[in-house]
Amino acid sequence: MKNVNRIFCSGMALAAIAAMPAVSASGEVIVQYATAGSVTSISPVIENANVAADDLTAGPGLNAQTFSTFNFTGWDTASTDFDAAVTAGDFWTWGFEVTGDDIILETLDTRLDRSGTGPDDVEIQASINGAPGVTIFTHDYMDSSAGVNFPGIDISSLGTVTLGDTVVFTLAAFNSESDAGSFDLETLTFPGGTDSLVVNGTVVPEPASLVLLGLGGVAMLTRRRSQA
């Protein structure tokens, strides 16, 4: 009778596993960058186990400043849109390659600051696997000179990225009043902190991992019944 019960319970457990929907972990940081002065490239401070992240890197048209933040002058006054700014080398890039479980992209958090004569407009585009960029954020400073927090920028339209996919974000700033004007990356907890650029998402465990987890439960159930 024990053997019958064992087979029945194992069969029920396996059937439950087969019917089990994909389970997602709660939203988490996929990659996060801090800020630093006098540099043109910054390595991530947080890198999810399921990605290989790129450095945050400034384009060749910009001049790094000696301040405590990722701060640059050299923004071309002739650039009036994203494409022109990229052509002039006035941009930052960052991103990652998926090396493990699937990731549902959710939000981007950042804080950006301009001087009184720096770029008045900023745009961020995202490209997956080298496809044309998709605009995920724009902002017009309306000539104000202040750092602004931008938490929870929606990037869910980018969908789910899977093993081998690459995601590249490009920030371009334009409509600068002077090439001596500056534009910089600060932290959401400014001053201090490390939360300058944060990409958030939900990691989706592979079905094989769920099956292994379920089989472990079956083994425990079988062991308990055999001891009964």
Side-chain angles (χ1 to χ4, degrees):
M1 186 65 180
K2 288 183 179 179
N3 288 336
V4 173
N5 288 337
R6 189 177 303 132
I7 293 171
F8 175 77
C9 291
S10 298
M12 290 292 289
L14 287 172
I17 293 169
M20 187 182 299
V23 177
S24 300
S26 58
E28 56 190 290
V29 172
I30 304 305
V31 61
Q32 178 172 323
Y33 302 86
T35 189
S38 305
V39 298
T40 58
S41 185
I42 298 176
S43 298
V45 294
I46 297 178
E47 184 177 5
N48 190 278
N50 293 282
V51 304
D54 302 322
D55 291 349
L56 165 65
T57 304
L62 301 175
N63 305 314
Q65 298 301 287
T66 57
F67 302 115
S68 61
T69 60
F70 197 61
N71 191 313
F72 297 87
T73 59
W75 304 90
D76 189 355
T77 57
S79 297
T80 58
D81 58 28
F82 180 93
D83 291 337
V86 170
T87 299
D90 296 353
F91 60 86
W92 303 337
T93 63
W94 67 96
F96 59 88
E97 177 182 354
V98 180
T99 58
D101 293 337
D102 296 353
I103 297 171
I104 302 172
L105 297 171
E106 295 177 349
T107 59
L108 172 70
D109 308 322
T110 191
R111 175 185 170 92
L112 303 170
D113 184 25
R114 76 178 288 268
S115 71
T117 58
D120 194 49
D121 293 272
V122 59
E123 180 174 339
I124 300 175
Q125 293 191 8
S127 171
I128 297 179
N129 297 328
V134 176
T135 299
I136 58 172
F137 171 78
T138 61
H139 181 71
D140 183 346
Y141 278 85
M142 303 294 290
D143 293 327
S144 65
S145 55
V148 181
N149 283 358
F150 299 106
I153 297 169
D154 186 6
I155 61 173
S156 62
S157 62
L158 300 177
T160 300
V161 286
T162 62
L163 183 65
D165 285 345
T166 59
V167 183
V168 175
F169 296 91
T170 301
L171 177 153
F174 42 94
N175 286 326
S176 179
E177 295 179 25
S178 167
D179 61 7
S182 64
F183 188 84
D184 67 307
L185 177 69
E186 298 178 337
T187 58
L188 289 163
T189 50
F190 184 82
T194 61
D195 50 352
S196 298
L197 271 174
V198 188
V199 179
N200 304 291
T202 295
V203 176
V204 183
E206 289 292 336
S209 300
L210 297 175
V211 170
L212 289 174
L213 180 63
L215 289 175
V218 170
M220 290 181 62
L221 180 61
T222 301
R223 189 177 306 114
R224 288 177 180 173
R225 287 194 168 272
S226 65
Q227 294 172 352

